[in-house]
């Protein structure tokens, strides 16, 4: 069974049904039924035109549901208008599906789930496993999201920035179960890049590839975090790095800088350094200046303080950090690192312990706790 083929055809089949007049929720249900039928039938005999087969089966399932549901009698005229079997149209409406799934009325988590279901072709069970929630909970989330977008005009103008943020959320979720969300986000972003010519789409794809290239070295065998400076760079995926850099350079050459391109440029400078000591921190600070100008994000300014601390010394980094609110997530961890580099081990140990209490996940908490214990043990000798 060619699961990759099924998943690649899902968005175009769904788009064809919607363009024929089916509302999004009913069309998506029909496509899922067609995919289940394909899994049952195709191993014995795969059709010569897989896309056309899926369109035909999905449309018939939609019509069956329309006939059976009295509440949908307003669409009875569609029953008599079934197109004749034949090759599926070549129109690619994938981009419109991205915009529908990233509808501004949806919560980020619902937009991500709907994108994975409608565009990614994942089952509700796979998405639920990836997010570590019960399948029933995820089914309700997807159902609510489908109802929300069902009345949206299919050819409405879309916001590329919103679509990119949804894909970035997918990428940052990591992976669990049998679905690797980081790899899935890269696949979907490649698909989007083939659909729309936009430098920020290319910037996001480059950023994902550059970050994903370091994935194997981010954790030790026991699951503990490994900081960037301590990662084994020999194990980084050089093919992904080379592809990411090439995509980024082409995007930057268009002189339409956006935040994902700037982030990718920073990631490229880290990937380009043979060792942590050879990192071009001065240029990284310059890119953080651009990124801060583009986003005015306190998280960006926090990372910029780290870069300044590396480029100009820890006291310069602490001066940049002083302008940021104490409640900013991970601020205490950055302050601890900079104080340690400045030789103030007592303050650093206290701040590492404080940061551990506020850590967003277990791996980060354990790492920060170990840093505090290391400094306290060293000072006790």
């Amino acid at each position: 069974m060619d699961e990759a083929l099924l998943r690649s055809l899902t968005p175009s089949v769904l788009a064809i049904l919607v363009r024929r007049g089916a509302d999004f929720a009913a069309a998506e249900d029909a496509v899922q039924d067609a995919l289940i039928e394909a899994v049952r039938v195709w191993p014995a005999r795969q059709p010569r035109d897989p896309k056309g087969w899926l369109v035909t089966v999905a449309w018939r399932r939609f019509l069956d549901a329309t006939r059976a549901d009295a509440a949908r009698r307003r669409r009875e005229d569609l029953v008599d208008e079934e197109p004749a079997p034949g090759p599926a149209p070549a129109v690619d409406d994938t981009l419109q599906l991205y915009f529908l799934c990233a509808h501004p009325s949806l919560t980020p988590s619902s937009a991500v789930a709907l994108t994975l279901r409608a565009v990614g072709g994942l089952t509700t069970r796979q998405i639920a496993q990836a997010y570590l929630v019960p399948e029933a909970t995820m089914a309700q989330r997807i159902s609510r999201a489908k109802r929300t977008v069902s009345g949206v005009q299919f050819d409405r103008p879309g916001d590329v920035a919103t679509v990119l943020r949804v894909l970035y959320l997918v990428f940052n979720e990591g992976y669990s179960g049998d679905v690797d969300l980081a790899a899935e986000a890269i696949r979907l972003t490649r698909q989007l890049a083939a659909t729309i010519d936009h430098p920020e789409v290319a910037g996001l794809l480059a950023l994902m590839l550059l970050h994903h290239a370091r994935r194997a070295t981010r954790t030790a065998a026991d699951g503990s975090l490994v900081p960037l400076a301590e990662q084994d760079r020999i194990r980084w995926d050089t093919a992904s790095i080379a592809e990411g850099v090439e995509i980024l350079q082409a995007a930057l050459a268009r002189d339409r800088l956006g935040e994902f391109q700037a982030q990718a440029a920073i990631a490229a400078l880290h990937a380009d350094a043979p060792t942590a000591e050879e990192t071009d921190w001065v240029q990284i600070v310059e890119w953080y200046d651009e990124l801060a100008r583009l986003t005015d994000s306190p998280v960006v300014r926090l990372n910029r303080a780290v870069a300044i601390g590396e480029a100009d010394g820890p006291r310069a980094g602490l001066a940049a950090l002083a302008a940021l609110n104490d409640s900013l997530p991970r601020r205490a961890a950055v302050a601890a690192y900079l104080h340690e580099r400045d030789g103030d081990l007592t303050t650093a140990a206290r701040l590492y312990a404080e940061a551990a209490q506020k850590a967003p996940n277990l791996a980060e908490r354990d790492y920060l706790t170990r840093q505090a214990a290391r400094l306290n043990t060293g000072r006790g000798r």
Side-chain angles (χ1 to χ4, degrees):
M1 186 66 224
D2 191 345
E3 182 179 344
L5 175 62
L6 275 180
R7 288 168 61 186
S8 69
L9 293 175
T10 296
S12 58
V13 173
L14 175 57
I16 289 170
L17 264 65
V18 173
R19 190 165 290 284
R20 285 182 178 179
D23 71 64
F24 185 90
E28 206 277 333
D29 288 341
V31 171
Q32 291 297 319
D33 287 343
L35 293 175
I36 292 172
E37 184 68 7
V39 170
R40 187 182 71 82
V41 172
W42 285 14
R45 192 174 113 185
Q46 183 168 315
R48 284 180 295 178
D49 179 12
K51 181 178 176 181
W53 188 96
L54 286 171
V55 170
T56 299
V57 173
W59 184 250
R60 288 173 178 168
R61 293 299 171 91
F62 165 71
L63 295 179
D64 288 343
T66 301
R67 294 187 182 98
D69 191 343
R72 297 176 184 174
R73 292 189 181 280
R74 64 185 181 278
R75 296 196 299 270
E76 281 294 327
D77 56 327
L78 294 174
V79 174
D80 300 321
E81 297 176 5
E82 178 177 357
V91 177
D92 187 356
D93 293 316
T94 303
L95 183 58
Q96 277 69 31
L97 288 180
Y98 275 101
F99 291 143
L100 278 173
C101 295
H103 192 271
S105 64
L106 294 176
T107 64
S109 60
S110 293
V112 167
L114 191 58
T115 299
L116 289 172
R117 174 71 179 260
V119 186
L122 301 185
T123 65
T124 302
R125 176 174 295 180
Q126 287 174 316
I127 301 170
Q129 288 176 342
Y131 279 88
L132 303 178
V133 299
E135 185 175 353
T137 300
M138 184 57 68
Q140 290 176 351
R141 185 181 300 174
I142 293 173
S143 179
R144 286 194 299 267
K146 288 195 294 184
R147 287 197 300 269
T148 298
V149 303
S150 284
V152 177
Q153 187 176 356
F154 188 59
D155 58 355
R156 72 177 179 87
D159 180 11
V160 174
T162 302
V163 173
L164 294 181
R165 292 192 186 285
V166 169
L167 290 172
Y168 196 41
L169 283 172
V170 175
F171 182 77
N172 286 329
E173 284 297 332
Y175 63 100
S176 59
D178 62 352
V179 179
D180 183 337
L181 288 184
E184 182 65 13
I186 291 173
R187 186 184 74 85
L188 292 175
T189 307
R190 284 190 192 280
Q191 187 181 76
L192 182 62
T195 306
I196 180 173
D197 182 19
H198 194 292
E200 272 294 81
V201 177
L204 177 59
L205 179 56
L207 176 63
M208 289 178 174
L209 289 168
L210 290 164
H211 279 318
H212 203 55
R214 305 199 304 261
R215 171 172 164 175
T217 64
R218 284 190 176 132
T219 56
D222 62 359
S224 59
L225 290 180
V226 179
L228 176 61
E230 299 174 17
Q231 291 175 12
D232 182 1
R233 297 178 182 231
I234 295 177
R235 296 174 57 208
W236 286 359
D237 183 349
T238 55
S240 292
I241 291 173
E243 183 186 4
V245 169
E246 182 180 359
I247 292 171
L248 172 63
Q249 288 175 338
L252 292 175
R254 301 177 64 175
D255 199 23
R256 289 169 54 193
L257 184 64
E259 60 177 292
F260 288 118
Q261 295 169 73
Q263 288 187 59
I266 293 169
L269 286 167
H270 283 298
D272 188 54
T275 65
E277 293 73 23
E278 295 174 85
T279 303
D280 189 347
W281 286 106
V282 173
Q283 194 172 350
I284 287 176
V285 171
E286 293 174 356
W287 276 112
Y288 271 122
D289 289 340
E290 290 287 346
L291 193 54
R293 179 182 61 80
L294 289 166
T295 66
D296 194 29
S297 164
V299 176
V300 169
R301 297 189 182 280
L302 181 68
N303 291 328
R304 177 178 175 273
V306 176
I308 289 175
E310 299 289 352
D312 301 328
R315 293 194 179 183
L318 286 168
L321 189 65
L324 301 178
N325 194 298
D326 289 344
S327 63
L328 185 65
R330 296 188 172 90
R331 185 188 186 282
V334 171
Y337 173 73
L338 292 172
H339 277 292
E340 180 182 358
R341 287 200 60 223
D342 195 38
D344 186 353
L345 303 187
T346 300
T347 301
R350 175 178 59 79
L351 288 170
Y352 275 130
E354 177 185 326
Q357 295 177 349
K358 301 176 181 177
N361 56 65
L362 181 60
E364 193 169 328
R365 186 190 71 187
D366 289 347
Y367 171 78
L368 293 168
T369 300
R370 287 197 302 272
Q371 299 308 302
R374 173 178 57 82
L375 294 183
N376 285 326
T377 301
R379 288 186 300 110
R381 290 175 181 170

